[in-house]
């Protein structure tokens, strides 16, 4: 989210001339997102600080969104700091300083990721329940047939359909029932 805000502001500021930039900056400034024109000596500053360790996702997102057209530096090294400080060079060579306040929303998952994860969990749960039902239904039929065997010896035999294991179990049950009926009649 921070990278998208930075990209949007960079594009807007780069689209106007140097004189109009200050007016636009005043309109774009927010309590959680401050923008300023960098002093001329900022152009000679070197180094990025240690942002690769602290802000690897921001660096990657900014590289993707800004590309090579807008060089930038992330100067916040303290992971406890609530601010992210980014300096971006516009196409005319001027630099802008951006100070973005990391609120709690930067720690939360993006809403589209939460929705996708929820859909995935519901799908896996539904498929799991269907698979468990498919596997256990033949066992329930076998258990019910075993219960009924003592009450009605002449009950219709079990269907010998389904997976190989289910067919073998049903066949063994039907054979056992036939033998019991044969022994009782003798």
């Amino acid at each position: 989210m921070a990278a998208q805000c930075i990209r949007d502001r960079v594009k807007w500021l780069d689209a106007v001339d140097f004189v109009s930039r200050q007016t636009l900056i005043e309109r774009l400034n927010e309590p959680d997102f401050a923008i300023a024109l960098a002093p001329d000596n900022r152009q000679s500053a070197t180094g990025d600080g240690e942002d690769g360790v602290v802000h690897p996702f921001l660096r990657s997102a900014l590289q993707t969104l800004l590309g090579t057209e807008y060089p930038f530096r992330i100067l916040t090294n303290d992971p406890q700091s609530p601010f992210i400080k980014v300096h971006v060079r516009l196409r005319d060579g001027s630099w802008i300083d951006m100070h973005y306040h990391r609120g709690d929303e930067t720690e939360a998952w993006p809403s589209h990721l939460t929705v996708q994860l929820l859909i995935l969990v519901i799908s896996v749960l539904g498929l799991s329940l269907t698979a468990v039902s498919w596997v256990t239904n033949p066992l329930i039929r076998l258990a019910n047939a075993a219960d009924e065997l003592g009450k009605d010896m002449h009950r219709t035999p079990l269907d010998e359909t389904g997976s190989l294991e289910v067919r073998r179990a049903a066949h063994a049950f039907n054979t056992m029932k036939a033998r019991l009926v044969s022994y009782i009649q003798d």
Side-chain angles (χ1 to χ4, degrees), residues 9 35 45 66 75 81 83 97-98 104 133-134 136 141 147 156-158 177 179 182:
R9 283 156 175 85
I35 305 171
L66 296 176
L75 299 179
S81 173
F83 287 96
D97 291 343
M98 297 186 184
D104 292 335
S133 174
W134 180 71
T136 57
R141 279 193 347 249
D147 271 349
T156 58
L158 285 176
K177 184 179 130 193
R179 288 180 184 159
S182 171

Side-chain angles (χ1 to χ4, degrees), residues 164-179:
L164 176 64
E165 294 81 12
V166 171
R167 287 192 315 254
R168 289 183 67 196
H171 179 73
F173 183 81
N174 289 336
T175 304
M176 177 188 72
K177 184 179 130 193
R179 288 180 184 159

